[in-house]
Amino acid sequence: MNLVTGKVALVTGASRGIGRAIALRFAQEGANVAFTYLSSVEKGEALEAELAQFGITAKGYRSDASDHKAAEELVTQVLADFGRLDILINNAGITRDGLLMRMTEEQWDTVITINLKSVFNLTKAAIKPMMKAKSGSIINLTSVVGLRGNAGQANYAASKAGIIGFTKSVALELGSRNIRSNAIAPGFIETEMTGELNEKAIEEWKQSIPLKRGGQPDEVADACLFLASDLSRYITGQVLQVDGGMLT
Ligand code: NAP
């Protein structure tokens, strides 16, 4: 069953990790995929070619999700290139960890701007064509850290908790236009982002997870596919945890 055949999906931050897995999964399911990257130019260009092998239309754009004007221009360009926009996946995100005592204003501002403002930027631009089409699915990547907090990640936790409030507000505002807005809260997923942690910390995380292992990017991509497709047509304003039972 091809769940999103012919739909156009825009995924931010798809050069690596979870975003890359989402782009691949959607292409595999017949969606046309527009995606962004920022610093990983070679990886972004390679992904475009990889996605095209699924026989769909794929295009990568170098675009900073935290830049409001760039986000507007990106959506305009995607509409010019693809003709429509059905699914928006706000995935781009970063960490700049540190205990609050030592956290700088710059660490705070960078994380809030890249993780949270980016979601506002892209969603604001994407809802215009979605409202016209009277249809759309928006999926925002939050985190279990946004639900319960985490020592050393006050900036990241605040950005991810902010995404949840934003997601629910958009669901309330745009439900009557048949635009759904949901969030996915991954737990510990094995990507470059979590690869920065030391081995002891990783082992402790794994032991605290009921399924006793870290998750894989494609396991988040599968949840994303569900929320993007008609399988979830009566679901909006929700946060779906993909965390092996970490936060129960
Ligand atoms: P990752 O491997 O570090 O990849 C992050 C991606 O975001 C990269 O493709 C990067 O592109 C892109 N990006 C960063 N800043 C950007 C910007 N300003 N504009 C556009 N793209 C930007 O991260 P990940 O582990 O896949 O995480 C993906 C999302 O899931 C994030 O929102 C993260 O917070 C969330 N999440 C992850 C985990 C986990 O355990 N891994 C858990 C919970 C939530 P370039 O390399 O090209 O700059």
Side-chain angles (χ1 to χ4, degrees):
M1 178 171 43
N2 284 356
L3 295 172
V4 285
T5 305
K7 303 242 167 161
V8 175
L10 169 59
V11 189
T12 64
S15 47
R16 299 182 275 124
I18 293 170
R20 177 182 152 79
I22 294 169
L24 285 164
R25 190 76 181 91
F26 275 63
Q28 200 179 19
E29 289 294 328
N32 298 308
V33 181
F35 69 92
T36 69
Y37 52 89
L38 189 57
S39 54
S40 310
V41 179
E42 271 177 35
K43 285 183 183 167
E45 287 169 359
L47 179 64
E48 187 175 299
E50 210 176 321
L51 293 173
Q53 287 173 3
F54 290 97
I56 50 95
T57 306
K59 192 158 182 194
Y61 303 82
R62 190 173 190 191
S63 180
D64 183 351
S66 68
D67 181 330
H68 191 74
K69 195 157 172 285
E72 272 180 359
E73 287 166 2
L74 169 70
V75 170
T76 302
Q77 196 54 52
V78 169
L79 288 171
D81 294 340
F82 289 80
R84 53 194 279 182
L85 179 58
D86 304 291
I87 301 156
L88 169 67
I89 299 155
N90 284 308
N91 166 80
I94 58 156
T95 52
R96 291 287 183 274
D97 297 350
L99 294 173
L100 187 55
M101 285 269 288
R102 283 195 284 270
M103 188 173 287
T104 62
E105 184 184 0
E106 204 227 330
Q107 280 175 305
W108 173 268
D109 287 346
T110 306
V111 167
I112 297 295
T113 310
I114 294 182
N115 292 4
L116 181 56
K117 189 183 170 201
S118 63
V119 176
F120 162 73
N121 291 344
L122 268 302
T123 306
K124 179 119 198 288
I127 59 172
K128 285 177 202 149
M130 287 180 175
M131 282 167 79
K132 249 194 206 162
K134 294 196 176 62
S135 168
S137 177
I138 299 163
I139 301 160
N140 301 320
L141 269 290
T142 177
S143 166
V144 291
V145 168
L147 289 165
R148 73 159 188 207
N150 196 26
Q153 290 196 307
N155 51 358
Y156 183 78
S159 73
K160 294 300 183 181
I163 287 175
I164 294 173
F166 182 85
T167 302
K168 288 177 182 281
S169 303
V170 171
L172 292 171
E173 277 187 35
L174 296 174
S176 62
R177 309 293 186 108
N178 195 32
I179 296 172
R180 299 184 296 111
S181 166
N182 292 289
I184 290 181
F188 183 88
I189 309 298
E190 293 175 2
T191 67
E192 283 177 41
M193 183 177 272
T194 47
E196 285 172 13
L197 300 168
N198 68 48
E199 249 173 62
K200 190 167 165 272
I202 291 179
E203 213 30 60
E204 279 170 16
W205 271 101
K206 287 185 183 169
Q207 282 319 309
S208 71
I209 298 168
L211 290 182
K212 298 292 170 209
R213 65 175 179 84
Q216 295 305 312
D218 67 311
E219 293 174 316
V220 179
D222 283 348
C224 219
L225 188 61
F226 167 69
L227 287 177
S229 78
D230 283 349
L231 287 180
S232 61
R233 60 197 173 277
Y234 200 53
I235 299 176
T236 193
Q238 302 304 304
V239 181
L240 175 57
Q241 288 172 229
V242 182
D243 66 355
M246 182 194 280
L247 197 64
T248 346

